[in-house]
Amino acid sequence: MNDLRILRDRQWAGRDYLDNEMGGEGVTGSAAMLAQTTTMKTYPTSASAFYAIVPCDVDGSETEGAAAAYVPRTGSVSFAINLGTQIPPVGTTVVCHGVGGRWCFRYDG
């Protein structure tokens, strides 16, 4: 194992511990995050690759039929692998799921 993987595993173990200690029930679902793809150095040129992502918050009027606005958080960049068949354009909003200590999303166009 490499050092980054060990740190990721420890981070997940710590999150699981805190989640279980703060709640009275066990885990009922997987971790998910709303994010937008971004470019750090060079944007990927194949679909099945790791993409830099920026977590987003949802903003807008909470009324039926109102449009939502996705607001990227500044200073927080992660990486997620695209399990889909297409290359998402820069700035594409995706829902990432935590799988085995890594973020994953699917973009099929």
Side-chain angles (χ1 to χ4, degrees), residues 44-51 80-88 105 107:
T45 57
S46 65
S48 182
F50 279 96
Y51 288 77
I81 189 163
N82 179 13
L83 302 174
T85 59
Q86 300 292 316
I87 300 169
F105 68 92
Y107 183 82

Side-chain angles (χ1 to χ4, degrees), residues 16 19 21 27 34 40 46-48 54 60 62 82-83 96 98 101:
D16 287 342
D19 287 344
E21 289 298 312
V27 178
L34 183 68
M40 284 195 63
S46 65
S48 182
V54 178
E62 289 188 33
N82 179 13
L83 302 174
C96 301

Side-chain angles (χ1 to χ4, degrees), residues 41-62:
K41 292 183 180 180
T42 304
Y43 200 73
T45 57
S46 65
S48 182
F50 279 96
Y51 288 77
I53 56 169
V54 178
C56 293
D57 291 322
V58 180
D59 196 11
S61 176
E62 289 188 33

